mmCIF file of all heavy atoms in Angstrom:
data_model
loop_
_atom_site.group_PDB
_atom_site.id
_atom_site.type_symbol
_atom_site.label_atom_id
_atom_site.label_comp_id
_atom_site.label_asym_id
_atom_site.label_seq_id
_atom_site.Cartn_x
_atom_site.Cartn_y
_atom_site.Cartn_z
ATOM 1 N N PRO A 4 2.264 8.646 36.248
ATOM 2 C CA PRO A 4 2.911 7.775 37.241
ATOM 3 C C PRO A 4 3.146 6.372 36.683
ATOM 4 O O PRO A 4 2.419 5.916 35.797
ATOM 5 C CB PRO A 4 1.900 7.742 38.394
ATOM 6 C CG PRO A 4 0.593 8.059 37.771
ATOM 7 C CD PRO A 4 0.869 8.947 36.580
ATOM 8 N N SER A 6 2.444 3.725 37.968
ATOM 9 C CA SER A 6 1.289 2.860 38.264
ATOM 10 C C SER A 6 0.264 2.859 37.126
ATOM 11 O O SER A 6 -0.578 1.965 37.047
ATOM 12 C CB SER A 6 0.617 3.302 39.568
ATOM 13 O OG SER A 6 0.242 4.659 39.459
ATOM 14 N N ALA A 19 -3.014 -7.806 22.675
ATOM 15 C CA ALA A 19 -3.763 -7.231 21.554
ATOM 16 C C ALA A 19 -2.921 -7.325 20.284
ATOM 17 O O ALA A 19 -1.711 -7.080 20.314
ATOM 18 C CB ALA A 19 -4.090 -5.772 21.856
ATOM 19 N N HIS A 22 -2.839 -1.906 18.078
ATOM 20 C CA HIS A 22 -3.202 -0.876 19.069
ATOM 21 C C HIS A 22 -3.618 0.400 18.356
ATOM 22 O O HIS A 22 -2.931 1.428 18.467
ATOM 23 C CB HIS A 22 -2.019 -0.585 19.998
ATOM 24 C CG HIS A 22 -1.535 -1.780 20.763
ATOM 25 N ND1 HIS A 22 -0.730 -2.742 20.206
ATOM 26 C CD2 HIS A 22 -1.772 -2.183 22.037
ATOM 27 C CE1 HIS A 22 -0.482 -3.687 21.107
ATOM 28 N NE2 HIS A 22 -1.102 -3.363 22.228
ATOM 29 N N SER A 24 -4.580 3.838 17.612
ATOM 30 C CA SER A 24 -4.616 4.943 18.563
ATOM 31 C C SER A 24 -4.266 6.232 17.838
ATOM 32 O O SER A 24 -3.102 6.460 17.469
ATOM 33 C CB SER A 24 -3.623 4.691 19.711
ATOM 34 O OG SER A 24 -3.349 5.892 20.404
ATOM 35 N N PHE A 30 1.205 11.725 18.399
ATOM 36 C CA PHE A 30 2.461 11.800 19.170
ATOM 37 C C PHE A 30 3.648 11.546 18.255
ATOM 38 O O PHE A 30 4.620 12.315 18.225
ATOM 39 C CB PHE A 30 2.374 10.788 20.316
ATOM 40 C CG PHE A 30 3.677 10.488 21.011
ATOM 41 C CD1 PHE A 30 4.468 11.508 21.530
ATOM 42 C CD2 PHE A 30 4.114 9.183 21.162
ATOM 43 C CE1 PHE A 30 5.665 11.219 22.186
ATOM 44 C CE2 PHE A 30 5.304 8.892 21.804
ATOM 45 C CZ PHE A 30 6.085 9.914 22.321
ATOM 46 N N LYS A 38 16.471 19.885 23.482
ATOM 47 C CA LYS A 38 17.908 20.186 23.574
ATOM 48 C C LYS A 38 18.373 19.938 25.006
ATOM 49 O O LYS A 38 17.666 20.291 25.964
ATOM 50 C CB LYS A 38 18.172 21.645 23.206
ATOM 51 C CG LYS A 38 18.041 21.924 21.734
ATOM 52 C CD LYS A 38 18.602 23.318 21.423
ATOM 53 C CE LYS A 38 18.721 23.477 19.939
ATOM 54 N NZ LYS A 38 18.024 24.567 19.360
ATOM 55 N N THR A 43 15.715 20.325 32.594
ATOM 56 C CA THR A 43 15.951 20.645 33.999
ATOM 57 C C THR A 43 15.275 19.597 34.875
ATOM 58 O O THR A 43 14.596 18.696 34.372
ATOM 59 C CB THR A 43 15.443 22.080 34.301
ATOM 60 O OG1 THR A 43 15.918 22.482 35.576
ATOM 61 C CG2 THR A 43 13.928 22.158 34.291
ATOM 62 N N PRO A 45 12.453 18.177 37.464
ATOM 63 C CA PRO A 45 12.808 16.801 37.793
ATOM 64 C C PRO A 45 12.966 15.921 36.560
ATOM 65 O O PRO A 45 12.410 16.214 35.499
ATOM 66 C CB PRO A 45 11.602 16.335 38.624
ATOM 67 C CG PRO A 45 10.447 17.109 38.061
ATOM 68 C CD PRO A 45 11.016 18.449 37.668
ATOM 69 N N ASP A 50 10.358 4.565 40.461
ATOM 70 C CA ASP A 50 9.566 3.597 39.689
ATOM 71 C C ASP A 50 9.261 4.111 38.287
ATOM 72 O O ASP A 50 9.033 3.320 37.368
ATOM 73 C CB ASP A 50 8.294 3.178 40.441
ATOM 74 C CG ASP A 50 7.451 4.354 40.874
ATOM 75 O OD1 ASP A 50 7.830 5.507 40.597
ATOM 76 O OD2 ASP A 50 6.402 4.117 41.491
ATOM 77 N N ILE A 75 22.835 4.244 34.669
ATOM 78 C CA ILE A 75 22.168 5.483 35.101
ATOM 79 C C ILE A 75 23.202 6.423 35.706
ATOM 80 O O ILE A 75 23.949 6.029 36.614
ATOM 81 C CB ILE A 75 21.046 5.154 36.110
ATOM 82 C CG1 ILE A 75 19.987 4.271 35.430
ATOM 83 C CG2 ILE A 75 20.421 6.427 36.675
ATOM 84 C CD1 ILE A 75 19.088 3.537 36.378
ATOM 85 N N ALA A 89 37.084 13.733 31.445
ATOM 86 C CA ALA A 89 38.074 14.819 31.339
ATOM 87 C C ALA A 89 39.488 14.266 31.506
ATOM 88 O O ALA A 89 40.426 14.731 30.851
ATOM 89 C CB ALA A 89 37.780 15.892 32.386
ATOM 90 N N ALA A 95 42.853 20.244 26.342
ATOM 91 C CA ALA A 95 42.217 21.007 27.424
ATOM 92 C C ALA A 95 40.774 21.418 27.102
ATOM 93 O O ALA A 95 39.885 21.267 27.955
ATOM 94 C CB ALA A 95 43.066 22.219 27.773
ATOM 95 N N THR A 104 29.606 17.124 30.482
ATOM 96 C CA THR A 104 28.816 16.197 29.652
ATOM 97 C C THR A 104 27.496 15.821 30.316
ATOM 98 O O THR A 104 26.450 15.809 29.671
ATOM 99 C CB THR A 104 29.631 14.915 29.364
ATOM 100 O OG1 THR A 104 30.851 15.288 28.743
ATOM 101 C CG2 THR A 104 28.860 13.960 28.468
ATOM 102 N N VAL A 112 20.888 8.321 30.868
ATOM 103 C CA VAL A 112 20.983 6.860 30.761
ATOM 104 C C VAL A 112 21.989 6.583 29.647
ATOM 105 O O VAL A 112 21.743 6.931 28.483
ATOM 106 C CB VAL A 112 19.630 6.206 30.430
ATOM 107 C CG1 VAL A 112 19.795 4.690 30.282
ATOM 108 C CG2 VAL A 112 18.596 6.525 31.515
ATOM 109 N N PRO A 125 23.870 -11.708 13.658
ATOM 110 C CA PRO A 125 24.985 -10.791 13.373
ATOM 111 C C PRO A 125 25.031 -9.647 14.381
ATOM 112 O O PRO A 125 23.996 -9.198 14.887
ATOM 113 C CB PRO A 125 24.654 -10.262 11.964
ATOM 114 C CG PRO A 125 23.706 -11.255 11.379
ATOM 115 C CD PRO A 125 22.927 -11.819 12.530
ATOM 116 N N LEU A 140 13.232 4.395 24.636
ATOM 117 C CA LEU A 140 13.410 5.126 25.897
ATOM 118 C C LEU A 140 12.997 6.589 25.720
ATOM 119 O O LEU A 140 12.288 7.160 26.562
ATOM 120 C CB LEU A 140 14.874 5.009 26.342
ATOM 121 C CG LEU A 140 15.291 5.757 27.603
ATOM 122 C CD1 LEU A 140 14.435 5.365 28.804
ATOM 123 C CD2 LEU A 140 16.767 5.507 27.906
ATOM 124 N N GLY A 148 5.814 12.434 29.942
ATOM 125 C CA GLY A 148 5.768 13.855 30.286
ATOM 126 C C GLY A 148 7.131 14.474 30.521
ATOM 127 O O GLY A 148 7.231 15.570 31.075
ATOM 128 N N GLY A 151 13.710 14.517 26.374
ATOM 129 C CA GLY A 151 14.934 13.729 26.279
ATOM 130 C C GLY A 151 15.699 14.045 25.024
ATOM 131 O O GLY A 151 15.168 14.633 24.071
ATOM 132 N N GLN A 173 34.926 -4.763 24.521
ATOM 133 C CA GLN A 173 34.114 -4.977 23.304
ATOM 134 C C GLN A 173 32.803 -4.182 23.333
ATOM 135 O O GLN A 173 32.082 -4.162 22.339
ATOM 136 C CB GLN A 173 33.833 -6.478 23.096
ATOM 137 C CG GLN A 173 32.660 -7.059 23.860
ATOM 138 C CD GLN A 173 32.907 -7.189 25.369
ATOM 139 O OE1 GLN A 173 34.015 -6.999 25.850
ATOM 140 N NE2 GLN A 173 31.849 -7.499 26.107
ATOM 141 N N PHE A 179 24.082 8.525 24.833
ATOM 142 C CA PHE A 179 23.777 9.116 26.134
ATOM 143 C C PHE A 179 22.362 9.666 25.986
ATOM 144 O O PHE A 179 22.135 10.618 25.216
ATOM 145 C CB PHE A 179 24.741 10.261 26.455
ATOM 146 C CG PHE A 179 26.195 9.848 26.558
ATOM 147 C CD1 PHE A 179 27.158 10.434 25.754
ATOM 148 C CD2 PHE A 179 26.593 8.885 27.482
ATOM 149 C CE1 PHE A 179 28.498 10.076 25.863
ATOM 150 C CE2 PHE A 179 27.934 8.510 27.593
ATOM 151 C CZ PHE A 179 28.888 9.111 26.780
ATOM 152 N N HIS A 181 19.874 11.783 27.589
ATOM 153 C CA HIS A 181 19.695 12.765 28.665
ATOM 154 C C HIS A 181 18.202 12.985 28.868
ATOM 155 O O HIS A 181 17.456 13.161 27.889
ATOM 156 C CB HIS A 181 20.362 14.092 28.299
ATOM 157 C CG HIS A 181 21.836 13.962 28.057
ATOM 158 N ND1 HIS A 181 22.769 14.053 29.062
ATOM 159 C CD2 HIS A 181 22.538 13.730 26.919
ATOM 160 C CE1 HIS A 181 23.989 13.894 28.559
ATOM 161 N NE2 HIS A 181 23.872 13.692 27.259
ATOM 162 N N ALA A 195 14.387 15.000 7.014
ATOM 163 C CA ALA A 195 14.744 14.295 5.789
ATOM 164 C C ALA A 195 13.472 14.143 4.962
ATOM 165 O O ALA A 195 12.408 13.822 5.509
ATOM 166 C CB ALA A 195 15.318 12.922 6.137
ATOM 167 N N ARG A 200 13.069 9.327 -0.449
ATOM 168 C CA ARG A 200 13.788 8.138 0.013
ATOM 169 C C ARG A 200 12.972 6.864 -0.169
ATOM 170 O O ARG A 200 13.279 5.841 0.450
ATOM 171 C CB ARG A 200 14.175 8.323 1.493
ATOM 172 C CG ARG A 200 15.260 9.350 1.667
ATOM 173 C CD ARG A 200 15.368 9.841 3.085
ATOM 174 N NE ARG A 200 16.574 10.649 3.287
ATOM 175 C CZ ARG A 200 16.722 11.903 2.863
ATOM 176 N NH1 ARG A 200 15.736 12.508 2.229
ATOM 177 N NH2 ARG A 200 17.847 12.545 3.069
ATOM 178 N N VAL A 201 11.924 6.961 -0.947
ATOM 179 C CA VAL A 201 11.049 5.803 -1.164
ATOM 180 C C VAL A 201 11.161 5.350 -2.602
ATOM 181 O O VAL A 201 11.147 6.185 -3.521
ATOM 182 C CB VAL A 201 9.573 6.153 -0.860
ATOM 183 C CG1 VAL A 201 8.663 4.948 -1.112
ATOM 184 C CG2 VAL A 201 9.427 6.651 0.570
#
Side-chain angles (χ1 to χ4, degrees):
S6 57
H22 301 79
S24 162
F30 166 54
K38 287 192 169 123
T43 192
D50 54 0
I75 298 162
T104 303
V112 178
L140 177 56
Q173 84 289 351
F179 298 123
H181 300 273
R200 289 163 170 75
V201 179

